[in-house]
Amino acid sequence: MMIQKNKLIQCVYCLLIGVFWQGNLKAQNFSVDAQALTGLLIPISLTSPQLTTASPKGVELRLMKQTSGSKDWHHWYKSPRFGVTFIHYDFRNEFLGKAYSLQGVGDFPLKQRKRHDWHLLVGYGVAYLTENYRKFRNRKNTYIGSQFNYSFEMMLGYNYYLTPRLQLSAEAGIIHYSNAALQMPNGGINALSLGLGIKYRQNKPVENKVDTTFYKPKKWRWNISGAFGMLEQYPTGGRKYAVYNVNFLGEKRISRKVSWLLGVEAIYNNLYKEYTPDGKNQPEPALPGRAAVLTGMDILVGQMAIMIQAGVYVYKPQPFDAIWYNKYGFKWRFYQELFTSFAIKTQLGAADNFELGLGYRF
């Protein structure tokens, strides 16, 4: 089994390098980043010292494409790069095993000089972990309940130019793995990570000229959307509950990069039907619905938007959970004013459920 996994990693490396290291690399303006990773696992509980016995080690390979400068937003973000990244992380712990993740990633310049630059990199995708909680085989893994998970990466980086095309890079940040409460336990793995590597690009970045013709729209836009999600509650391996929500949000563009949103949201969660008060053995009839005032912002990146939202319940008949919650995710406008979305809803820092949504802006 171990031989097969090592062969798989080698094949992925060779395939990714081979595809992009072709004669048309220059014309397409692709670049290749490779770095070694080391890290430190952040404990989520003082009762799990067996999971943080060593520093994880890994490698990361990115295939990136420079924006062409053909759209205004390319210049607003100083000609960012977008692509895919493959991360292999060995947690060096028998209970956590190893992680293999594939993410979409954006690399946003922050400060540029002739021989060096600073940048912020954000990635989101899927991950496969070789070890997860098993009732009889791996009870000590209280961080991860499933082998397939979501992965998130945020890194602050520094590049030093050896030549116009070749750079040395150093990055520091966090890499996170979890399944958004789809399967318990779901404490998640958080690794403070340091990466050292090299980057090769064929073309120079596009010259950056800030567009001065942008005018803030005076009118509000309106968004209506619905979403679906799933979650599991203890005991592990038990029933999964469907969650639905509908929201109606006003949208006000406040800058080139940011829109502010404000509105209402209705939530229907089948889990609430099985609420059992303390001291009783049987569930009581309970309303599965909630209503909230929702606000937040969309960070606009072309057709994509990064969602950061906060909600406060104005109707919550169930006597549990906090009165407020947060959402973090992405929107993608794929046809005129239609958009799809993916978000993680959290309460007090813990994942509540994921949401897949579809909406329309008018």
Side-chain angles (χ1 to χ4, degrees):
M1 184 69 176
M2 184 61 66
I3 295 176
Q4 293 178 347
K5 290 179 180 177
N6 290 337
K7 287 183 177 180
L8 175 62
I9 297 173
Q10 293 172 5
C11 289
V12 171
Y13 288 163
C14 293
L15 176 62
L16 293 177
I17 292 175
V19 168
F20 283 86
W21 206 270
Q22 300 294 329
N24 65 345
L25 186 66
K26 183 174 181 178
Q28 296 296 325
N29 206 4
F30 284 101
S31 58
V32 178
D33 306 354
Q35 63 178 350
L37 297 171
T38 186
L40 176 67
L41 292 184
I42 303 174
I44 62 172
S45 171
L46 297 178
T47 62
S48 304
Q50 75 278 4
L51 301 178
T52 55
T53 56
S55 298
K57 306 292 182 184
V59 292
E60 182 170 7
L61 181 66
R62 300 185 191 127
L63 306 171
M64 309 292 288
K65 184 177 181 181
Q66 184 79 48
T67 50
S68 64
S70 61
K71 299 182 182 298
D72 289 342
W73 68 268
H74 295 174
H75 301 290
W76 302 345
Y77 289 98
K78 302 179 181 179
S79 299
R81 300 185 305 154
F82 295 92
V84 294
T85 181
F86 171 76
I87 302 175
H88 165 56
Y89 232 144
D90 184 351
F91 298 114
R92 302 172 69 199
N93 180 285
E94 62 177 315
F95 307 113
L96 296 181
K98 301 176 182 180
Y100 305 87
S101 61
L102 189 66
Q103 300 177 156
V105 65
D107 186 15
F108 300 91
L110 298 176
K111 196 169 186 178
Q112 296 174 305
R113 293 292 184 263
K114 184 176 181 181
R115 295 298 302 272
H116 61 92
D117 67 67
W118 292 88
H119 64 100
L120 177 67
L121 184 135
V122 180
Y124 201 88
V126 294
Y128 173 81
L129 276 65
T130 59
E131 300 293 336
N132 64 303
Y133 173 86
R134 302 286 178 86
K135 185 175 182 180
F136 299 107
R137 190 176 68 83
N138 193 3
R139 294 177 62 91
K140 292 186 177 182
N141 185 348
T142 56
Y143 283 6
I144 292 293
S146 61
Q147 288 192 286
F148 289 96
N149 294 266
Y150 310 108
S151 62
F152 171 78
E153 176 185 24
M154 179 178 287
M155 306 286 276
L156 177 66
Y158 174 81
N159 298 322
Y160 180 78
Y161 292 71
L162 298 175
T163 71
R165 296 182 179 180
L166 193 64
Q167 307 167 17
L168 292 178
S169 67
E171 296 179 355
I174 188 168
I175 298 177
H176 171 77
Y177 304 94
S178 70
N179 63 45
L182 186 60
Q183 190 168 330
M184 296 285 109
N186 185 50
I189 296 176
N190 297 292
L192 289 175
S193 298
L194 174 66
L196 298 174
I198 193 167
K199 299 181 179 181
Y200 178 82
R201 67 175 71 190
Q202 283 284 25
N203 295 339
K204 285 185 176 182
V206 179
E207 291 293 329
N208 298 306
K209 295 180 180 180
V210 177
D211 176 33
T212 59
T213 61
F214 174 77
Y215 298 98
K216 287 194 293 185
K218 294 183 179 181
K219 293 183 178 181
W220 285 70
R221 303 291 299 271
W222 305 97
N223 295 257
I224 184 168
S225 65
F228 163 81
M230 297 282 290
L231 75 154
E232 179 182 286
Q233 288 292 312
Y234 288 105
T236 298
R239 178 183 171 186
K240 290 180 171 56
Y241 299 89
V243 183
Y244 308 91
N245 70 61
V246 176
N247 62 56
F248 182 76
L249 301 173
E251 176 185 341
K252 178 66 173 177
R253 187 80 171 263
I254 60 176
S255 73
R256 287 187 177 94
K257 302 176 183 179
V258 177
S259 287
W260 175 58
L261 297 101
L262 176 66
V264 294
E265 179 170 58
I267 302 166
Y268 185 98
N269 190 330
N270 281 285
L271 173 65
Y272 301 156
K273 294 179 180 179
E274 299 190 5
Y275 167 64
T276 303
D278 292 339
K280 295 188 177 181
N281 295 323
Q282 297 295 326
E284 285 191 351
L287 296 173
R290 292 180 178 180
V293 174
L294 188 65
T295 188
M297 64 179 181
D298 285 351
I299 302 174
L300 308 172
V301 187
Q303 291 177 274
M304 184 185 72
I306 301 171
M307 300 165 45
I308 303 174
Q309 298 179 348
V312 176
Y313 293 116
V314 294
Y315 172 73
K316 187 173 80 72
Q318 307 84 11
F320 52 85
D321 291 340
I323 196 172
W324 57 273
Y325 61 93
N326 298 98
K327 291 185 184 183
Y328 308 96
F330 303 89
K331 292 180 183 176
W332 181 263
R333 294 188 177 93
F334 61 93
Y335 178 73
Q336 295 181 354
E337 298 301 329
L338 286 171
F339 63 87
T340 186
S341 64
F342 175 83
I344 303 295
K345 179 185 175 186
T346 68
Q347 296 195 66
L348 300 177
D352 197 9
N353 60 270
F354 74 90
E355 295 179 0
L356 288 174
L358 182 67
Y360 180 72
R361 185 176 68 163
F362 56 95

